[in-house]
Amino acid sequence: MGTGGPRRGEGPPDGGWGWAVLGACFVVTGFAYGFPKAVSVFFRALMRDFGAGYSEAAWVSSIMLAMLYGTGPVSSVLVARFGCRPVMLEGGLLASAGMVLASFARRLLELYLTAGVLTGLGLALNFQPSLIMLGRYFDRRRPLANGLAAAGSPVFLAALSPLGQQLLERFGWRGGFLLLGGLLLHCCACGALMRPPGPGPRRGGSARGARAEAARQGLSPSAAPAGPARRRLLDVAVCADRAFAVYAVTKFLMALGLFVPAILLVNYAKDAGVPDADAAFLLSIVGFVDIVARPACGALAGLARLRPHVADLFSLALLANGLTDLSSARARSYGALVAFCVAFGLSYGMVGALQFEVLMAAVGAPRFPSALGLVLLIEAVAVLIGPPSAGHLVDALKSYEVIFYLAGSEVVLAGLFMAVATNCCLRRAQDAPPRPGTEGGASDSEAAEAEGDSEPLPTPEPSVPEALELLSPGAGPSAPEVEAEPGLDPESV
């Protein structure tokens, strides 16, 4: 991805109505990540009323998170078919309806289906389209925009947990669920703000403009959609992209251990003899540091010298987070735990600010919706494996030390894999001479943008398969569309 801003009249506006979209994305991200955790304040009341254990009550949040991550491909298909705004409006209604219906539940199964499935699906249908629309409005300032949007997670977590406690004390868990359902209707207001950007190369209807945009994003010109007949609802071909494969493996390894320390932190502190109030305050420390770290890291990643190395920054953030877990596995004093929370919140915020920026830079904006849906599905599998396995190990070993070592090792492995694969595989492939028929990844996208800003290159003749592809129905209105776009070299894309 290039470091310069878009030329006048081309690409995302990098401002304007995009700031309203950013504000909506901030709110939606806060609900998506903060709401499943904030619901945990109602668990004791649910256990008392339904005669259930903690693990049974905790399945409400687990199902909600599984729906948030696991329905990524469904969101991608719906966005491709209907657009971001209608999908988000429907998602807001589903999320609200789930909590309202949950307030009338008489069995745990009904809670699982309403608060878990319906609300989780509604949050998923808001979260993914908001990120897609954010990428359409920001390019040069996209790292900063992603960092500011990601800051919604710790802000809402810090606000929703005390709010849920107050609602529980005044109205009980049924009244609390009913009022939280009304609060989730704000997602509909956020969806109404998702106005598509004005006409431009990203939304042009001609085959020539589509191929030019595809070249700027590192795609083969023959792979660019030229009309409705060639539009894909879910581009699974992105899985063959090496940059996407590296990112997907990294995210799977990261999700196995990234969330475990935060989930076990309070109980770990209590086991070390820390008073309950002080132990609960440790999560607040993580949240406060996280709030500052996300926008700061986004602004740092947007600097011209660092923008091309955003994958390296992501690797460093993962390494810092994993090493923090490893070095704090034996922390027993309250001062050591506070130091761990500061370091963990800083590295955790860096990871949260960079994760989607790295994906968008790796696959390009046209394939980002499909790539995001597939990555969230992969992450759902890891989330369902990592934290539950850690809980079983704690019950079996009666010790948190091994869990911190295991979680830290998984995150460190993710950072090392990302760094080695990016520098030894992807960039080595970038330095190699281009071969016909090779599709570019993130580095090819940078080259294509650089070529678009330079003098036009000699236009090669298209190969026979490319000519047949361009002559197929829907590829273009006339024969001249077969010729390559001036200034774009398909062999270098």
Side-chain angles (χ1 to χ4, degrees):
M1 309 294 289
T3 57
R7 293 181 293 274
R8 183 180 298 273
E10 296 186 12
D14 267 310
W17 188 254
W19 297 116
V21 172
L22 174 59
C25 193
F26 175 91
V27 174
V28 168
T29 303
F31 276 126
Y33 281 116
F35 200 83
K37 301 171 185 175
V39 171
S40 62
V41 301
F42 297 95
F43 284 173
R44 291 190 180 276
L46 296 177
M47 292 164 57
R48 181 183 64 250
D49 284 9
F50 292 102
Y54 184 86
S55 60
E56 294 173 306
W59 270 106
V60 175
S61 291
S62 299
I63 295 173
M64 199 180 293
L65 285 172
M67 294 298 296
L68 175 64
Y69 289 113
T71 56
V74 177
S75 298
S76 297
V77 171
L78 292 176
V79 168
R81 178 65 180 84
F82 301 105
C84 292
R85 180 187 286 175
V87 173
M88 290 186 66
L89 290 172
E90 183 67 25
L93 292 175
L94 281 177
S96 176
M99 293 303 295
V100 171
L101 292 175
S103 66
F104 298 98
R106 299 297 176 184
R107 295 181 300 169
L108 276 177
L109 178 61
E110 296 173 1
L111 276 179
Y112 296 159
L113 294 176
T114 53
V117 175
L118 276 183
T119 300
L121 178 60
L123 292 175
L125 295 182
N126 272 270
F127 175 60
Q128 185 171 333
S130 69
L131 291 178
I132 294 171
M133 187 61 73
L134 189 68
R136 294 177 183 174
Y137 271 93
F138 290 92
D139 184 10
R140 180 175 57 87
R141 295 172 175 170
R142 195 178 64 229
L144 175 61
N146 279 327
L148 290 172
S153 173
V155 170
F156 270 63
L157 179 59
L160 286 176
S161 294
L163 175 63
Q165 186 64 39
Q166 290 295 321
L167 294 177
L168 177 63
E169 293 175 357
R170 294 191 179 189
F171 306 104
W173 71 267
R174 294 186 184 275
F177 276 23
L178 184 64
L179 293 173
L180 288 177
L183 188 65
L184 284 175
L185 286 174
H186 285 82
C187 293
C188 294
C190 294
L193 294 176
M194 296 297 164
R195 184 181 70 196
R202 289 179 181 266
R203 302 179 59 84
S206 68
R208 183 185 297 271
R211 289 197 303 276
E213 177 61 17
R216 292 184 70 250
Q217 297 297 339
L219 301 175
S220 171
S222 62
R230 301 182 61 186
R231 189 179 185 183
R232 293 181 179 180
L233 296 181
L234 183 64
D235 185 11
V236 295
V238 72
C239 297
D241 186 278
R242 285 177 296 182
F244 174 81
V246 168
Y247 182 85
V249 173
T250 301
K251 282 284 283 184
F252 181 82
L253 294 173
M254 178 199 80
L256 288 175
L258 182 67
F259 309 109
V260 171
I263 293 174
L264 301 179
L265 177 61
V266 175
N267 289 329
Y268 175 56
K270 292 179 181 178
D271 188 63
V274 177
D276 291 358
D278 293 338
F281 185 69
L282 292 174
L283 275 182
S284 300
I285 296 175
V286 173
F288 292 144
V289 177
D290 194 3
I291 291 172
V292 177
R294 296 197 183 212
C297 183
L300 185 67
L303 297 178
R305 293 186 178 180
L306 296 179
R307 181 78 180 272
H309 305 286
V310 65
D312 295 326
L313 291 177
F314 186 56
S315 302
L316 289 175
L318 290 173
L319 288 173
N321 187 270
L323 292 175
T324 299
D325 296 342
L326 294 175
S327 61
S328 304
R330 293 188 176 183
R332 308 298 292 179
S333 66
Y334 190 71
L337 289 173
V338 169
F340 162 76
C341 290
V342 172
F344 182 84
L346 180 62
S347 57
Y348 188 83
M350 292 174 63
V351 171
L354 296 174
Q355 55 179 343
F356 298 118
E357 169 64 23
V358 173
L359 177 61
M360 195 174 294
V363 302
R367 295 190 293 178
F368 178 71
S370 297
L372 179 60
L374 294 171
V375 163
L376 290 177
L377 179 60
I378 294 171
E379 192 171 359
V381 177
V383 168
L384 291 176
I385 294 175
S389 299
H392 288 303
L393 286 176
V394 169
D395 293 337
L397 302 176
K398 306 300 181 183
S399 173
Y400 291 92
E401 183 176 331
V402 176
I403 307 303
F404 274 73
Y405 281 130
L406 184 60
S409 299
E410 290 164 345
V411 179
V412 166
L413 181 60
L416 290 176
F417 176 81
M418 184 75 179
V420 172
T422 300
N423 290 279
C424 296
C425 298
L426 299 181
R427 289 179 182 168
R428 182 176 297 176
Q430 174 190 2
D431 296 336
R435 297 190 302 273
T438 303
E439 290 190 2
S443 56
D444 296 328
S445 169
E446 295 173 9
E449 267 193 283
E451 290 172 8
D453 295 334
S454 62
E455 293 297 325
L457 299 175
T459 304
E461 291 295 328
S463 62
V464 174
E466 288 176 343
L468 293 176
E469 174 78 10
L470 296 174
L471 285 173
S472 62
S478 61
E481 291 292 327
V482 176
E483 297 180 2
E485 179 75 5
L488 295 174
D489 185 0
E491 294 294 324
S492 65
V493 176

